[in-house]
Amino acid sequence: MKFYRFNTIATKGRDALRFCQGPTLFASRFLYALFALVAIGLSALPISAQANELAQQLKSPDYVLLMRHAYAPGVGDPPGYSLKRCETQRVLNEEGKAQAVRAGQWLRANGVEKARVYSSIWCRCQQTAQSLQLGPVIIEPSLASFFDRPTQASAQNQALQQFIAKLLKTKGDHALILVTHHVNIREFMGRDIGSGDMVLARVSDKGQVLDYKLYPSP
């Protein structure tokens, strides 16, 4: 859709009036005012005709949004960590917490209002998912990291695909948002992404990725 600035339309309005054969000054002023109102109305319209495209896609049964947890300094987890104790794991620092909040704000600004949010059991993923503020966070085993068990990559990915296929059939018009780890996303789509990055994936009825769009962390 093409939009014109007020000055452009107003100028065209004046040019058009030169050719008007109206009998009175009142008619000329009325036409000029009409052109001005049209110009103001058009200037108030959104610039993008594809506003909220992300939200509309996530309402469909064909798309899922995967997100890597926000920034948590380091690699892996400390020796002897426990999934029941966040203080023993690698968790979000202040930068990561702010990054997760921004991601939630960005999603809402793009029209994502209703969502089913699932997370890996790791605390950094739960912290990220909760900071999105898009609804209750549910722990999902197929989103758990296999960083320490790389031989489980294929089996874990199959479990994730099955989970996605099942949820997309029952989620209604809610967005399906999955917060997980870089190893899981790489196995699922074949690409590494940064902390806090999001991937909009179009999937088959078996939960396998067909194509995707990367949204860098806002």
Short mmCIF file of all heavy atoms in Angstrom, two decimals, residues 74-135:
data_model
loop_
_atom_site.label_atom_id
_atom_site.label_comp_id
_atom_site.label_asym_id
_atom_site.label_seq_id
_atom_site.Cartn_x
_atom_site.Cartn_y
_atom_site.Cartn_z
N GLY A 74 28.86 -17.76 30.44
CA GLY A 74 29.51 -19.06 30.59
C GLY A 74 29.05 -20.07 29.56
O GLY A 74 28.29 -19.76 28.65
N VAL A 75 29.53 -21.29 29.74
CA VAL A 75 29.19 -22.41 28.84
C VAL A 75 28.83 -23.61 29.69
O VAL A 75 29.53 -23.93 30.66
CB VAL A 75 30.36 -22.76 27.91
CG1 VAL A 75 30.01 -23.96 27.03
CG2 VAL A 75 30.75 -21.56 27.05
N GLY A 76 27.74 -24.29 29.34
CA GLY A 76 27.35 -25.46 30.12
C GLY A 76 26.96 -25.06 31.54
O GLY A 76 26.48 -23.96 31.80
N ASP A 77 27.17 -25.98 32.47
CA ASP A 77 26.86 -25.74 33.88
C ASP A 77 28.04 -26.16 34.75
O ASP A 77 28.85 -27.00 34.35
CB ASP A 77 25.61 -26.52 34.29
CG ASP A 77 24.35 -25.94 33.70
OD1 ASP A 77 23.87 -24.91 34.23
OD2 ASP A 77 23.84 -26.49 32.71
N PRO A 78 28.14 -25.59 35.94
CA PRO A 78 29.26 -25.96 36.84
C PRO A 78 29.21 -27.44 37.20
O PRO A 78 28.13 -28.05 37.20
CB PRO A 78 29.01 -25.09 38.08
CG PRO A 78 28.17 -23.96 37.59
CD PRO A 78 27.31 -24.53 36.52
N PRO A 79 30.35 -28.03 37.51
CA PRO A 79 30.37 -29.44 37.93
C PRO A 79 29.47 -29.65 39.15
O PRO A 79 29.41 -28.82 40.06
CB PRO A 79 31.84 -29.67 38.29
CG PRO A 79 32.59 -28.64 37.50
CD PRO A 79 31.70 -27.44 37.47
N GLY A 80 28.74 -30.76 39.15
CA GLY A 80 27.90 -31.09 40.28
C GLY A 80 26.62 -30.30 40.37
O GLY A 80 25.97 -30.28 41.42
N TYR A 81 26.22 -29.63 39.29
CA TYR A 81 24.99 -28.83 39.34
C TYR A 81 23.77 -29.73 39.55
O TYR A 81 23.78 -30.93 39.24
CB TYR A 81 24.82 -28.01 38.06
CG TYR A 81 24.46 -28.83 36.84
CD1 TYR A 81 23.12 -29.02 36.48
CD2 TYR A 81 25.44 -29.38 36.02
CE1 TYR A 81 22.78 -29.75 35.37
CE2 TYR A 81 25.11 -30.12 34.90
CZ TYR A 81 23.77 -30.30 34.58
OH TYR A 81 23.44 -31.04 33.47
N SER A 82 22.72 -29.13 40.07
CA SER A 82 21.48 -29.85 40.31
C SER A 82 20.33 -29.09 39.65
O SER A 82 20.22 -27.88 39.77
CB SER A 82 21.20 -29.97 41.82
OG SER A 82 19.88 -30.44 42.05
N LEU A 83 19.47 -29.82 38.96
CA LEU A 83 18.32 -29.20 38.31
C LEU A 83 17.28 -28.71 39.33
O LEU A 83 16.38 -27.96 38.98
CB LEU A 83 17.66 -30.17 37.34
CG LEU A 83 18.50 -30.53 36.10
CD1 LEU A 83 17.75 -31.54 35.23
CD2 LEU A 83 18.83 -29.28 35.30
N LYS A 84 17.44 -29.14 40.58
CA LYS A 84 16.52 -28.71 41.63
C LYS A 84 17.01 -27.46 42.36
O LYS A 84 16.29 -26.91 43.18
CB LYS A 84 16.32 -29.84 42.63
CG LYS A 84 15.67 -31.09 42.04
CD LYS A 84 15.49 -32.16 43.11
CE LYS A 84 14.82 -33.41 42.53
NZ LYS A 84 14.63 -34.45 43.57
N ARG A 85 18.22 -27.02 42.05
CA ARG A 85 18.80 -25.87 42.74
C ARG A 85 19.39 -24.89 41.73
O ARG A 85 20.45 -25.14 41.15
CB ARG A 85 19.87 -26.34 43.73
CG ARG A 85 19.35 -27.24 44.85
CD ARG A 85 20.50 -27.79 45.67
NE ARG A 85 21.32 -26.72 46.22
CZ ARG A 85 22.57 -26.89 46.68
NH1 ARG A 85 23.14 -28.10 46.61
NH2 ARG A 85 23.23 -25.86 47.18
N CYS A 86 18.69 -23.79 41.55
CA CYS A 86 19.12 -22.81 40.55
C CYS A 86 20.51 -22.24 40.85
O CYS A 86 21.26 -21.90 39.93
CB CYS A 86 18.10 -21.68 40.47
SG CYS A 86 16.52 -22.14 39.74
N GLU A 87 20.83 -22.13 42.13
CA GLU A 87 22.12 -21.52 42.49
C GLU A 87 23.31 -22.37 42.06
O GLU A 87 24.45 -21.90 42.03
CB GLU A 87 22.19 -21.25 43.99
CG GLU A 87 22.22 -22.50 44.87
CD GLU A 87 20.84 -22.99 45.25
OE1 GLU A 87 19.86 -22.61 44.57
OE2 GLU A 87 20.74 -23.77 46.22
N THR A 88 23.06 -23.63 41.68
CA THR A 88 24.15 -24.50 41.23
C THR A 88 24.28 -24.49 39.71
O THR A 88 25.20 -25.11 39.16
CB THR A 88 23.91 -25.95 41.68
OG1 THR A 88 22.77 -26.49 40.99
CG2 THR A 88 23.70 -26.04 43.18
N GLN A 89 23.38 -23.79 39.03
CA GLN A 89 23.37 -23.77 37.57
C GLN A 89 23.86 -22.44 37.03
O GLN A 89 24.01 -21.46 37.75
CB GLN A 89 21.93 -23.99 37.06
CG GLN A 89 21.27 -25.27 37.51
CD GLN A 89 19.82 -25.32 37.07
OE1 GLN A 89 19.45 -24.85 35.98
NE2 GLN A 89 18.96 -25.88 37.91
N ARG A 90 24.08 -22.42 35.73
CA ARG A 90 24.34 -21.16 35.02
C ARG A 90 22.99 -20.48 34.81
O ARG A 90 22.08 -21.05 34.20
CB ARG A 90 25.02 -21.44 33.69
CG ARG A 90 25.34 -20.21 32.87
CD ARG A 90 26.36 -20.54 31.78
NE ARG A 90 25.87 -21.52 30.84
CZ ARG A 90 25.27 -21.24 29.68
NH1 ARG A 90 25.08 -19.98 29.33
NH2 ARG A 90 24.88 -22.20 28.88
N VAL A 91 22.86 -19.26 35.30
CA VAL A 91 21.57 -18.56 35.25
C VAL A 91 21.74 -17.19 34.58
O VAL A 91 22.86 -16.74 34.33
CB VAL A 91 20.96 -18.41 36.66
CG1 VAL A 91 20.61 -19.78 37.24
CG2 VAL A 91 21.90 -17.65 37.58
N LEU A 92 20.62 -16.52 34.35
CA LEU A 92 20.66 -15.20 33.74
C LEU A 92 21.32 -14.19 34.67
O LEU A 92 21.06 -14.19 35.87
CB LEU A 92 19.25 -14.72 33.41
CG LEU A 92 18.33 -15.60 32.56
CD1 LEU A 92 17.06 -14.83 32.22
CD2 LEU A 92 19.03 -16.10 31.32
N ASN A 93 22.16 -13.34 34.10
CA ASN A 93 22.64 -12.19 34.86
C ASN A 93 21.69 -11.02 34.63
O ASN A 93 20.62 -11.18 34.02
CB ASN A 93 24.08 -11.85 34.48
CG ASN A 93 24.21 -11.42 33.03
OD1 ASN A 93 23.22 -11.35 32.28
ND2 ASN A 93 25.42 -11.10 32.61
N GLU A 94 22.03 -9.84 35.09
CA GLU A 94 21.13 -8.71 34.95
C GLU A 94 20.88 -8.37 33.48
O GLU A 94 19.76 -8.00 33.09
CB GLU A 94 21.70 -7.49 35.69
CG GLU A 94 21.73 -7.65 37.20
CD GLU A 94 20.35 -8.00 37.77
OE1 GLU A 94 19.37 -7.32 37.39
OE2 GLU A 94 20.26 -8.92 38.60
N GLU A 95 21.91 -8.49 32.66
CA GLU A 95 21.75 -8.25 31.23
C GLU A 95 20.75 -9.24 30.62
O GLU A 95 19.88 -8.86 29.82
CB GLU A 95 23.10 -8.37 30.53
CG GLU A 95 23.04 -8.19 29.02
CD GLU A 95 24.38 -8.39 28.35
OE1 GLU A 95 25.41 -8.45 29.06
OE2 GLU A 95 24.40 -8.48 27.11
N GLY A 96 20.89 -10.50 31.02
CA GLY A 96 19.98 -11.52 30.50
C GLY A 96 18.55 -11.32 30.95
O GLY A 96 17.60 -11.52 30.17
N LYS A 97 18.36 -10.91 32.21
CA LYS A 97 17.00 -10.65 32.70
C LYS A 97 16.34 -9.52 31.92
O LYS A 97 15.17 -9.61 31.56
CB LYS A 97 17.06 -10.32 34.19
CG LYS A 97 17.49 -11.49 35.07
CD LYS A 97 17.63 -11.06 36.53
CE LYS A 97 18.12 -12.20 37.40
NZ LYS A 97 18.33 -11.77 38.82
N ALA A 98 17.10 -8.45 31.68
CA ALA A 98 16.56 -7.32 30.92
C ALA A 98 16.27 -7.73 29.48
O ALA A 98 15.27 -7.30 28.88
CB ALA A 98 17.55 -6.16 30.95
N GLN A 99 17.12 -8.57 28.93
CA GLN A 99 16.93 -9.07 27.56
C GLN A 99 15.64 -9.87 27.45
O GLN A 99 14.87 -9.72 26.48
CB GLN A 99 18.12 -9.94 27.17
CG GLN A 99 18.10 -10.43 25.74
CD GLN A 99 19.29 -11.34 25.45
OE1 GLN A 99 19.64 -12.21 26.26
NE2 GLN A 99 19.92 -11.15 24.31
N ALA A 100 15.35 -10.71 28.45
CA ALA A 100 14.13 -11.52 28.43
C ALA A 100 12.89 -10.64 28.54
O ALA A 100 11.88 -10.88 27.86
CB ALA A 100 14.17 -12.52 29.57
N VAL A 101 12.95 -9.61 29.37
CA VAL A 101 11.81 -8.69 29.50
C VAL A 101 11.56 -7.98 28.18
O VAL A 101 10.40 -7.83 27.74
CB VAL A 101 12.07 -7.67 30.63
CG1 VAL A 101 11.01 -6.57 30.61
CG2 VAL A 101 12.08 -8.38 31.99
N ARG A 102 12.62 -7.54 27.51
CA ARG A 102 12.47 -6.85 26.22
C ARG A 102 11.83 -7.77 25.18
O ARG A 102 11.02 -7.34 24.36
CB ARG A 102 13.82 -6.36 25.70
CG ARG A 102 14.39 -5.18 26.45
CD ARG A 102 15.49 -4.49 25.62
NE ARG A 102 16.53 -5.42 25.18
CZ ARG A 102 17.60 -5.74 25.90
NH1 ARG A 102 17.76 -5.22 27.11
NH2 ARG A 102 18.50 -6.57 25.43
N ALA A 103 12.19 -9.05 25.23
CA ALA A 103 11.62 -10.00 24.28
C ALA A 103 10.11 -10.10 24.47
O ALA A 103 9.35 -10.13 23.49
CB ALA A 103 12.27 -11.37 24.45
N GLY A 104 9.66 -10.15 25.72
CA GLY A 104 8.23 -10.19 25.99
C GLY A 104 7.53 -8.93 25.52
O GLY A 104 6.44 -8.99 24.94
N GLN A 105 8.15 -7.80 25.75
CA GLN A 105 7.57 -6.53 25.31
C GLN A 105 7.49 -6.48 23.79
O GLN A 105 6.49 -6.01 23.22
CB GLN A 105 8.42 -5.37 25.83
CG GLN A 105 8.40 -5.21 27.35
CD GLN A 105 9.41 -4.20 27.87
OE1 GLN A 105 10.41 -3.89 27.19
NE2 GLN A 105 9.20 -3.69 29.07
N TRP A 106 8.51 -6.98 23.13
CA TRP A 106 8.54 -6.99 21.67
C TRP A 106 7.44 -7.89 21.11
O TRP A 106 6.75 -7.53 20.14
CB TRP A 106 9.91 -7.47 21.19
CG TRP A 106 10.06 -7.49 19.70
CD1 TRP A 106 10.40 -6.45 18.89
CD2 TRP A 106 9.86 -8.61 18.84
NE1 TRP A 106 10.43 -6.86 17.57
CE2 TRP A 106 10.11 -8.18 17.53
CE3 TRP A 106 9.51 -9.95 19.07
CZ2 TRP A 106 10.00 -9.05 16.43
CZ3 TRP A 106 9.41 -10.80 17.97
CH2 TRP A 106 9.65 -10.35 16.67
N LEU A 107 7.25 -9.05 21.72
CA LEU A 107 6.20 -9.96 21.26
C LEU A 107 4.82 -9.34 21.42
O LEU A 107 3.98 -9.41 20.51
CB LEU A 107 6.28 -11.28 22.03
CG LEU A 107 7.45 -12.20 21.65
CD1 LEU A 107 7.61 -13.33 22.66
CD2 LEU A 107 7.24 -12.77 20.25
N ARG A 108 4.57 -8.71 22.56
CA ARG A 108 3.27 -8.06 22.76
C ARG A 108 3.07 -6.90 21.80
O ARG A 108 1.97 -6.68 21.29
CB ARG A 108 3.14 -7.59 24.22
CG ARG A 108 2.95 -8.75 25.21
CD ARG A 108 2.60 -8.24 26.59
NE ARG A 108 3.69 -7.50 27.20
CZ ARG A 108 4.70 -8.06 27.84
NH1 ARG A 108 4.76 -9.38 27.98
NH2 ARG A 108 5.67 -7.32 28.38
N ALA A 109 4.15 -6.16 21.53
CA ALA A 109 4.06 -5.05 20.59
C ALA A 109 3.74 -5.54 19.18
O ALA A 109 3.18 -4.80 18.36
CB ALA A 109 5.36 -4.25 20.57
N ASN A 110 4.09 -6.79 18.90
CA ASN A 110 3.80 -7.39 17.60
C ASN A 110 2.51 -8.18 17.60
O ASN A 110 2.27 -8.98 16.69
CB ASN A 110 4.97 -8.27 17.15
CG ASN A 110 6.09 -7.46 16.52
OD1 ASN A 110 6.09 -7.19 15.32
ND2 ASN A 110 7.05 -7.06 17.34
N GLY A 111 1.70 -7.97 18.61
CA GLY A 111 0.36 -8.53 18.61
C GLY A 111 0.19 -9.89 19.26
O GLY A 111 -0.90 -10.46 19.24
N VAL A 112 1.27 -10.44 19.85
CA VAL A 112 1.16 -11.74 20.52
C VAL A 112 0.61 -11.51 21.92
O VAL A 112 1.31 -10.99 22.80
CB VAL A 112 2.52 -12.45 20.58
CG1 VAL A 112 2.38 -13.80 21.29
CG2 VAL A 112 3.09 -12.64 19.18
N GLU A 113 -0.63 -11.87 22.14
CA GLU A 113 -1.29 -11.61 23.42
C GLU A 113 -1.64 -12.89 24.17
O GLU A 113 -1.57 -12.93 25.39
CB GLU A 113 -2.55 -10.78 23.18
CG GLU A 113 -2.27 -9.42 22.55
CD GLU A 113 -3.54 -8.68 22.21
OE1 GLU A 113 -4.62 -9.31 22.26
OE2 GLU A 113 -3.47 -7.48 21.89
N LYS A 114 -2.04 -13.91 23.44
CA LYS A 114 -2.39 -15.19 24.06
C LYS A 114 -1.37 -16.24 23.65
O LYS A 114 -1.10 -16.40 22.46
CB LYS A 114 -3.79 -15.65 23.63
CG LYS A 114 -4.90 -14.70 24.05
CD LYS A 114 -6.26 -15.33 23.81
CE LYS A 114 -6.48 -15.65 22.35
NZ LYS A 114 -7.84 -16.22 22.11
N ALA A 115 -0.79 -16.92 24.62
CA ALA A 115 0.26 -17.88 24.29
C ALA A 115 0.26 -19.05 25.26
O ALA A 115 -0.13 -18.92 26.42
CB ALA A 115 1.63 -17.20 24.30
N ARG A 116 0.71 -20.18 24.75
CA ARG A 116 1.04 -21.32 25.59
C ARG A 116 2.56 -21.38 25.63
O ARG A 116 3.21 -21.58 24.61
CB ARG A 116 0.44 -22.61 25.03
CG ARG A 116 -1.08 -22.66 25.11
CD ARG A 116 -1.62 -24.01 24.73
NE ARG A 116 -3.06 -24.06 24.87
CZ ARG A 116 -3.80 -25.15 24.62
NH1 ARG A 116 -3.20 -26.26 24.20
NH2 ARG A 116 -5.11 -25.11 24.78
N VAL A 117 3.10 -21.19 26.81
CA VAL A 117 4.55 -21.06 26.97
C VAL A 117 5.10 -22.29 27.68
O VAL A 117 4.67 -22.64 28.78
CB VAL A 117 4.90 -19.79 27.78
CG1 VAL A 117 6.41 -19.62 27.86
CG2 VAL A 117 4.25 -18.56 27.16
N TYR A 118 6.07 -22.94 27.03
CA TYR A 118 6.70 -24.13 27.58
C TYR A 118 8.20 -23.87 27.70
O TYR A 118 8.79 -23.13 26.92
CB TYR A 118 6.45 -25.34 26.68
CG TYR A 118 5.01 -25.79 26.68
CD1 TYR A 118 4.08 -25.18 25.85
CD2 TYR A 118 4.56 -26.82 27.51
CE1 TYR A 118 2.74 -25.56 25.84
CE2 TYR A 118 3.23 -27.22 27.51
CZ TYR A 118 2.34 -26.59 26.67
OH TYR A 118 1.02 -26.98 26.67
N SER A 119 8.79 -24.51 28.69
CA SER A 119 10.21 -24.26 28.98
C SER A 119 10.95 -25.53 29.33
O SER A 119 10.37 -26.50 29.86
CB SER A 119 10.32 -23.27 30.15
OG SER A 119 11.66 -23.14 30.61
N SER A 120 12.23 -25.51 29.05
CA SER A 120 13.14 -26.51 29.59
C SER A 120 13.15 -26.39 31.11
O SER A 120 12.86 -25.33 31.67
CB SER A 120 14.55 -26.27 29.05
OG SER A 120 15.54 -26.89 29.85
N ILE A 121 13.50 -27.47 31.78
CA ILE A 121 13.55 -27.46 33.24
C ILE A 121 14.70 -26.61 33.76
O ILE A 121 14.68 -26.17 34.92
CB ILE A 121 13.65 -28.90 33.78
CG1 ILE A 121 13.39 -28.91 35.29
CG2 ILE A 121 14.99 -29.53 33.42
CD1 ILE A 121 13.31 -30.31 35.89
N TRP A 122 15.71 -26.33 32.94
CA TRP A 122 16.85 -25.53 33.40
C TRP A 122 16.36 -24.14 33.84
O TRP A 122 15.51 -23.53 33.19
CB TRP A 122 17.89 -25.41 32.30
CG TRP A 122 19.01 -26.40 32.38
CD1 TRP A 122 20.29 -26.16 32.81
CD2 TRP A 122 18.95 -27.80 32.04
NE1 TRP A 122 21.03 -27.32 32.75
CE2 TRP A 122 20.24 -28.34 32.30
CE3 TRP A 122 17.96 -28.65 31.57
CZ2 TRP A 122 20.54 -29.68 32.09
CZ3 TRP A 122 18.25 -29.99 31.35
CH2 TRP A 122 19.53 -30.48 31.61
N CYS A 123 16.94 -23.66 34.92
CA CYS A 123 16.48 -22.40 35.51
C CYS A 123 16.62 -21.21 34.58
O CYS A 123 15.77 -20.31 34.58
CB CYS A 123 17.22 -22.13 36.82
SG CYS A 123 16.81 -23.30 38.14
N ARG A 124 17.66 -21.17 33.77
CA ARG A 124 17.84 -20.03 32.86
C ARG A 124 16.72 -19.97 31.82
O ARG A 124 16.33 -18.89 31.37
CB ARG A 124 19.21 -20.05 32.20
CG ARG A 124 19.61 -21.35 31.50
CD ARG A 124 21.06 -21.25 31.03
NE ARG A 124 21.57 -22.51 30.46
CZ ARG A 124 22.15 -23.46 31.18
NH1 ARG A 124 22.27 -23.33 32.50
NH2 ARG A 124 22.61 -24.55 30.60
N CYS A 125 16.20 -21.13 31.43
CA CYS A 125 15.07 -21.15 30.51
C CYS A 125 13.78 -20.74 31.21
O CYS A 125 12.98 -19.98 30.67
CB CYS A 125 14.92 -22.55 29.90
SG CYS A 125 16.22 -22.98 28.72
N GLN A 126 13.59 -21.23 32.43
CA GLN A 126 12.40 -20.85 33.18
C GLN A 126 12.39 -19.34 33.47
O GLN A 126 11.35 -18.69 33.39
CB GLN A 126 12.33 -21.63 34.49
CG GLN A 126 12.09 -23.12 34.31
CD GLN A 126 11.82 -23.80 35.64
OE1 GLN A 126 10.87 -23.46 36.35
NE2 GLN A 126 12.65 -24.78 35.98
N GLN A 127 13.56 -18.80 33.83
CA GLN A 127 13.65 -17.37 34.07
C GLN A 127 13.24 -16.58 32.82
O GLN A 127 12.50 -15.60 32.91
CB GLN A 127 15.10 -16.98 34.44
CG GLN A 127 15.54 -17.42 35.82
CD GLN A 127 17.01 -17.06 36.03
OE1 GLN A 127 17.90 -17.52 35.32
NE2 GLN A 127 17.26 -16.21 37.02
N THR A 128 13.72 -17.03 31.67
CA THR A 128 13.41 -16.36 30.40
C THR A 128 11.91 -16.45 30.11
O THR A 128 11.27 -15.44 29.79
CB THR A 128 14.20 -16.99 29.26
OG1 THR A 128 15.61 -16.88 29.53
CG2 THR A 128 13.89 -16.31 27.93
N ALA A 129 11.36 -17.64 30.22
CA ALA A 129 9.95 -17.86 29.90
C ALA A 129 9.04 -17.04 30.81
O ALA A 129 8.05 -16.44 30.36
CB ALA A 129 9.62 -19.34 30.00
N GLN A 130 9.37 -16.99 32.09
CA GLN A 130 8.54 -16.22 33.03
C GLN A 130 8.62 -14.72 32.75
O GLN A 130 7.63 -14.00 32.89
CB GLN A 130 8.98 -16.54 34.45
CG GLN A 130 8.64 -17.96 34.89
CD GLN A 130 9.40 -18.40 36.13
OE1 GLN A 130 10.23 -17.67 36.67
NE2 GLN A 130 9.11 -19.61 36.60
N SER A 131 9.80 -14.26 32.34
CA SER A 131 9.98 -12.83 32.08
C SER A 131 9.24 -12.36 30.84
O SER A 131 9.02 -11.15 30.68
CB SER A 131 11.47 -12.51 31.95
OG SER A 131 12.15 -12.73 33.17
N LEU A 132 8.84 -13.28 29.98
CA LEU A 132 8.06 -12.89 28.80
C LEU A 132 6.69 -12.36 29.21
O LEU A 132 6.09 -11.57 28.50
CB LEU A 132 7.87 -14.09 27.86
CG LEU A 132 9.14 -14.68 27.24
CD1 LEU A 132 8.77 -15.89 26.36
CD2 LEU A 132 9.90 -13.64 26.43
N GLN A 133 6.18 -12.85 30.34
CA GLN A 133 4.88 -12.42 30.88
C GLN A 133 3.77 -12.61 29.86
O GLN A 133 2.95 -11.72 29.63
CB GLN A 133 4.95 -10.96 31.34
CG GLN A 133 5.94 -10.73 32.49
CD GLN A 133 5.97 -9.31 32.99
OE1 GLN A 133 5.20 -8.46 32.54
NE2 GLN A 133 6.84 -9.03 33.94
N LEU A 134 3.75 -13.80 29.29
CA LEU A 134 2.72 -14.14 28.32
C LEU A 134 1.81 -15.27 28.80
O LEU A 134 1.03 -15.81 28.02
CB LEU A 134 3.36 -14.53 26.98
CG LEU A 134 3.94 -13.36 26.18
CD1 LEU A 134 4.75 -13.87 24.99
CD2 LEU A 134 2.84 -12.43 25.70
N GLY A 135 1.93 -15.62 30.07
CA GLY A 135 1.08 -16.67 30.61
C GLY A 135 1.87 -17.64 31.46
O GLY A 135 3.10 -17.53 31.59
#
